[in-house]
Amino acid sequence: MATESGVARIKGSVLISRLNLLARQPGTKRLEVLQRLSPADRKVLEGVILPIGWYPMELNLRLDGAIAAVLSPRDRTKAFVDMGWASAEENLKGPHHVFLRQGDPHFLLSHAQEIYRLYYAVGLRSYEKTGPHTGVLRTLGAESVTEADCLTIIGWFQRAIELSGGRDVRVDHTKCRARGNDCCEYVCSWAL
C-alpha cells in the first residue's frame, strides 16, 4: 500500500489506545501530555479518531514521546514498553481477540503479518517458529523505524504472548534498522 504524499502512516487504533492509556492516569496527566504537542496535533487527537483510519506515523511518535516524558521521565524505555503492553491489552481483549488461542502463543505469532497490517501501511512482519516455546519476528520494509516504536512492539508482543497463556515472557530486540541493521528482529521466548 503506497503512502499518501510520502507520509508514513499508522492506524487510528494505535492513537486511540494511547489516549485511553492517558484517560486511565490520575490527575492531569492527559492534559500535561497534550500541552506538549502542537495545536495541530492536539486538534487531531481531541477530535474523532477512526480506529481503521490512517494517520501520520510522526503524529504517533510525537504523542508517544510526550507520554513517555510525562508518565516516566526517568525511564523512557519502560514508558514505551508499557504503551505497547497497554495497546495489546486493549486490542486483543477487544477487536483483535481472534488472534488469541489459550495455551498457544505460536498461533498468535503465526499471524504476525496480518496483525502488522492492522497497524502499519507499509512493510511486513514475518514469523519463524524456532522451538516449542520460542520464535523470531522480523519486520522488513517499514517506512519509519525508531527505537521508541520498536520498544512499543516489544511491549505489545510481551502482553500478547501472556494473553495467549505464556508465562515468563521475554522479547529481545536483537536487530534494529534504527541501529543500522537490515531488519528489526524480536526473539520471543516463554514458558507455559
Side-chain angles (χ1 to χ4, degrees), residues 13 23 43 55 68 79 81 89 115 147 155:
S13 62
K43 183 177 180 180
Y55 295 84
V81 171
E89 175 81 9
I115 294 168
E147 289 199 51

Side-chain angles (χ1 to χ4, degrees), residues 31 107 164 167 175 178 182 188:
L31 182 59
F107 177 79
S164 297
R167 293 179 295 104
K175 293 183 181 179
D182 62 341
C188 307

Side-chain angles (χ1 to χ4, degrees), residues 116-164:
Y116 183 86
R117 282 278 165 247
L118 294 172
Y119 295 96
Y120 300 96
V122 174
L124 63 96
R125 181 165 291 138
S126 66
Y127 174 63
E128 175 188 354
K129 182 177 179 178
T130 57
H133 301 136
T134 60
V136 177
L137 297 161
R138 290 182 185 89
T139 306
L140 302 154
E143 299 171 286
S144 176
V145 178
T146 66
E147 289 199 51
D149 189 49
C150 292
L151 290 168
T152 67
I153 293 165
I154 290 167
W156 197 97
F157 278 103
Q158 283 176 339
R159 185 59 182 147
I161 292 169
E162 289 172 359
L163 291 171
S164 297

Side-chain angles (χ1 to χ4, degrees), residues 50-126:
L50 302 173
I52 61 170
W54 289 108
Y55 295 84
M57 176 71 151
E58 289 299 320
L59 170 62
N60 182 68
L61 295 174
R62 290 188 298 270
L63 176 60
D64 283 359
I67 291 171
V70 170
L71 298 187
S72 190
R74 291 188 200 110
D75 189 356
R76 292 173 60 94
T77 296
K78 180 184 178 331
F80 290 115
V81 171
D82 288 350
M83 282 182 252
W85 193 96
S87 178
E89 175 81 9
E90 181 169 326
N91 288 301
L92 289 170
K93 286 187 173 181
H96 304 153
H97 70 277
V98 297
F99 295 112
L100 295 178
R101 186 179 290 165
Q102 194 57 21
D104 190 1
H106 285 295
F107 177 79
L108 171 110
L109 296 171
S110 72
H111 291 281
Q113 178 57 22
E114 294 96 327
I115 294 168
Y116 183 86
R117 282 278 165 247
L118 294 172
Y119 295 96
Y120 300 96
V122 174
L124 63 96
R125 181 165 291 138
S126 66

